Amino acid sequence: MREYKLTRSKRKTIEIRINEEGNLEVKAPINLSQEKIDDFVKSKEKWIAKHSKELSEKYKIKKEFTLNFNDYVTVRGEKVCIRSVEGNIASYDKEKRIFYIPEIVNPPQIKEILIDLYKLIAKSHIHKRISFFSKQMKVMPTAIRITSAKKRWGSCSGKNSVNFSWRLIMGDDETIDYVIVHELAHIKQHNHSPKFWNIVESIIPDYEKRKEKLKLLGEKLSKENWDLK
C-alpha cells in the first residue's frame, strides 16, 4: 500500500494528486472511512504508477531549467535572444527581438529581470488588444490587471474586471487574442454556456484551434520553472 498524505474536508468526492516532490496526496470527505479511502487508492494504482513516472520526469526537467545569456525565450510566439549588455539597465528591443540584460547579473537574476520585462510587455500589448476587441464586442472591463497566476491564463470577476497572467505574452498573437476575447465574453455571460461560446465564435471563428495552441503553450511552460524563490 502506497503511503499518502490525507486531508479531510467538507467535500463529497475523493481526489488524488501527485505533488512536485512525487508524494501522493489524497483529499476525502470528513466521514468517509479509512478502509474505503485505502480501497480507492488501491484501485487507482495503475493511474498513480503511470502519472508518478510522467510527473517525475517533468519535474526533473523543470528543476534543471535555467536561463543564461545567449539562451532563447519567446515573446508573442517569436524567439527572442537574451544578450548581455554593459551598464545596469535592462531592456527589450522589439525590432531585433533581443532582451538586453546587464552582464553583471547571475542566472536567477536574469529570470527575475526577464519577468519584470515580460510584465511590461504584457501590460502594453494586452491593453491595446482589449481596446481593439472591446469596441467590436461592445463591452468594457471595469479594470485590467496583469498577474503572476500560474494556473489561470485569464479571469473575469463578478464586477467585470479582467485579469491576465504575464505568462500569456509568451504565446503567439492568435493565442493571446483568444484568451482576451474569452475573458471579455464573460462580461456578457459569466458562464460557459452555448451563448457564451457563440459570443467567442462570433469574434474568433477558429477559437477551437486556438484553444489547442493554448494547451500546447501550457504544456511547454509546465516544464519550465518561472517561479521566483
Side-chain angles (χ1 to χ4, degrees):
M1 180 71 190
R2 287 180 182 265
E3 291 186 0
Y4 60 84
K5 177 185 177 183
L6 176 62
T7 303
R8 295 178 180 271
S9 63
K10 294 180 180 179
R11 57 184 297 128
K12 296 181 180 179
T13 59
I14 304 178
E15 177 185 338
I16 289 180
R17 176 178 178 271
I18 301 168
N19 64 27
E20 293 196 10
E21 286 73 40
N23 299 319
L24 189 63
E25 297 178 350
V26 179
K27 296 181 180 179
I30 293 174
N31 297 322
L32 193 65
S33 70
Q34 186 66 50
E35 183 181 2
K36 287 185 177 180
I37 296 172
D38 286 344
D39 287 344
F40 182 83
V41 173
K42 288 177 184 177
S43 73
K44 298 296 181 180
E45 177 57 36
K46 287 185 178 179
W47 181 93
I48 294 170
K50 176 186 175 184
H51 287 272
S52 290
K53 182 179 179 181
E54 290 176 354
L55 289 171
S56 176
E57 292 173 355
K58 185 178 78 172
Y59 291 139
K60 181 182 178 182
I61 294 171
K62 186 173 181 178
K63 189 175 182 180
E64 294 172 350
F65 177 78
T66 57
L67 289 166
N68 292 287
F69 294 119
N70 299 316
D71 284 347
Y72 284 86
V73 290
T74 59
V75 174
R76 293 172 56 187
E78 299 284 348
K79 289 179 67 175
V80 175
C81 187
I82 304 169
R83 295 276 179 83
S84 62
V85 66
E86 293 182 359
N88 56 7
I89 298 176
S91 63
Y92 171 56
D93 189 317
K94 180 179 177 181
E95 300 303 320
K96 294 182 179 179
R97 292 204 289 270
I98 295 174
F99 277 118
Y100 289 108
I101 308 295
E103 60 185 1
I104 59 173
V105 305
N106 56 38
Q109 291 172 321
I110 290 176
K111 180 165 65 174
E112 186 175 352
I113 292 169
L114 280 179
I115 290 173
D116 286 340
L117 291 172
Y118 267 129
K119 288 178 180 178
L120 292 173
I121 298 166
K123 182 177 181 179
S124 174
H125 182 72
I126 290 173
H127 273 71
K128 288 177 183 176
R129 299 307 288 166
I130 287 176
S131 177
F132 174 79
F133 285 115
S134 290
K135 293 173 184 176
Q136 285 191 41
M137 300 172 71
K138 295 181 173 57
V139 296
M140 183 57 66
T142 56
I144 305 167
R145 298 183 181 89
I146 303 301
T147 73
S148 295
K150 292 184 282 186
K151 296 184 178 180
R152 300 186 73 178
W153 297 109
S155 62
C156 177
S157 74
K159 295 183 179 180
N160 296 331
S161 66
V162 291
N163 307 292
F164 299 92
S165 171
W166 65 262
R167 290 169 170 80
L168 181 60
I169 203 64
M170 295 186 190
D172 65 14
D173 286 354
E174 285 191 348
T175 304
I176 297 168
D177 282 353
Y178 161 68
V179 177
I180 290 172
V181 169
H182 184 115
E183 300 311 330
L184 292 179
H186 276 312
I187 295 177
K188 290 185 174 181
Q189 290 287 324
H190 286 275
N191 51 53
H192 287 106
S193 65
K195 287 183 179 180
F196 168 82
W197 289 113
N198 286 340
I199 294 169
V200 174
E201 188 174 25
S202 70
I203 304 299
I204 299 180
D206 65 342
Y207 76 87
E208 289 283 4
K209 181 192 79 173
R210 302 191 190 200
K211 280 176 68 176
E212 187 61 29
K213 290 171 74 173
L214 184 65
K215 179 182 176 182
L216 293 175
L217 175 63
E219 290 174 356
K220 174 181 178 293
L221 294 185
S222 71
K223 299 174 183 177
E224 299 177 0
N225 181 11
W226 286 92
D227 297 336
L228 293 175
K229 296 180 179 180

